[in-house]
Amino acid sequence: MNPLNVNTNGRFIPIPTACGLVNISRNTLMRLAAEANAIAGFGKSVRIDMPALYDYIDRTCKNGEP
């Protein structure tokens, strides 16, 4: 089976790829994404809106406290 090619430059990223890009665990990613309203569902596929997530992280998590 061929590995899945994932475009990390896209706006909507799969959850495992987003975890790697932000370097946080899945549970923390989903909590932050929910707070940022950055979870997008396409049928059965759940993706993270990375620009919205990055904006939320920049606004709220820069002081070392989420």
Side-chain angles (χ1 to χ4, degrees):
M1 181 180 226
N2 293 335
L4 180 64
N5 293 327
V6 177
N7 179 10
T8 58
N9 295 324
R11 178 175 177 177
F12 298 102
I13 304 292
I15 293 170
T17 306
C19 289
L21 289 174
V22 184
N23 200 25
I24 56 177
S25 70
R26 181 186 178 95
N27 289 339
T28 304
L29 173 75
M30 294 306 289
R31 181 177 53 83
L32 289 175
E35 291 172 6
N37 199 23
I39 299 174
F42 301 99
K44 293 182 180 180
S45 178
V46 176
R47 305 294 170 115
I48 304 298
D49 183 354
M50 294 305 289
L53 180 65
Y54 284 141
D55 182 51
Y56 178 78
I57 290 171
D58 287 342
R59 285 185 286 118
T60 62
C61 300
K62 287 285 185 153
N63 298 330
E65 298 178 12

